[in-house]
Amino acid sequence: MRMMLKVSIPTEDGNRAIKDGSLPQAIERVMVDLTPEAAYFTAEAGRRTAFIFLDVAHSSDMPLVAERFFFGFNANVDMIPVMNADDLRKGLPAAMAALAG
């Protein structure tokens, strides 16, 4: 299932991780390990934040994705199922049929 992974790192933890080099290393490892469809980085609510779009094949893969951020950076992590336009086009007719029936 396509998921949006939102990772928000507290400022102090992020500062430490940049200084010791662990944050850039973690980002590179995520890009290799998880092969995301896309990844975007910004500041949100005063925290370094990443939005990473990836496929999670099984719910049992969720710890593999999230724990690296919890343990490594004291991050807030959200995993949200998302669709692209093709997914919406495929799913919308069934939703409309269920509403009409």
Side-chain angles (χ1 to χ4, degrees):
M1 175 178 292
R2 181 176 287 112
M3 302 286 274
M4 180 181 76
L5 174 67
K6 178 182 172 185
V7 178
S8 183
I9 300 171
T11 302
E12 287 183 25
D13 296 290
N15 290 346
R16 178 188 39 75
I18 287 174
K19 287 178 185 176
D20 70 17
S22 60
L23 185 59
Q25 289 173 353
I27 291 169
E28 287 303 318
R29 183 155 179 124
V30 163
M31 300 305 281
V32 170
D33 290 352
L34 304 179
T35 58
E37 183 178 314
Y40 301 96
F41 305 91
T42 190
E44 181 183 62
R47 293 177 164 217
R48 292 174 180 92
T49 303
F51 294 92
I52 302 170
F53 298 84
L54 64 144
D55 186 57
V56 177
H58 303 283
S59 57
S60 61
D61 293 332
M62 293 172 68
L64 172 67
V65 173
E67 292 299 334
R68 66 184 75 209
F69 299 108
F70 290 137
F71 275 90
F73 308 105
N74 194 33
N76 290 340
V77 177
D78 296 309
M79 298 181 76
I80 305 159
V82 295
M83 296 182 287
N84 63 19
D86 290 335
D87 297 330
L88 181 61
R89 278 192 285 277
K90 183 178 176 183
L92 201 51
M96 294 291 88
L99 290 173

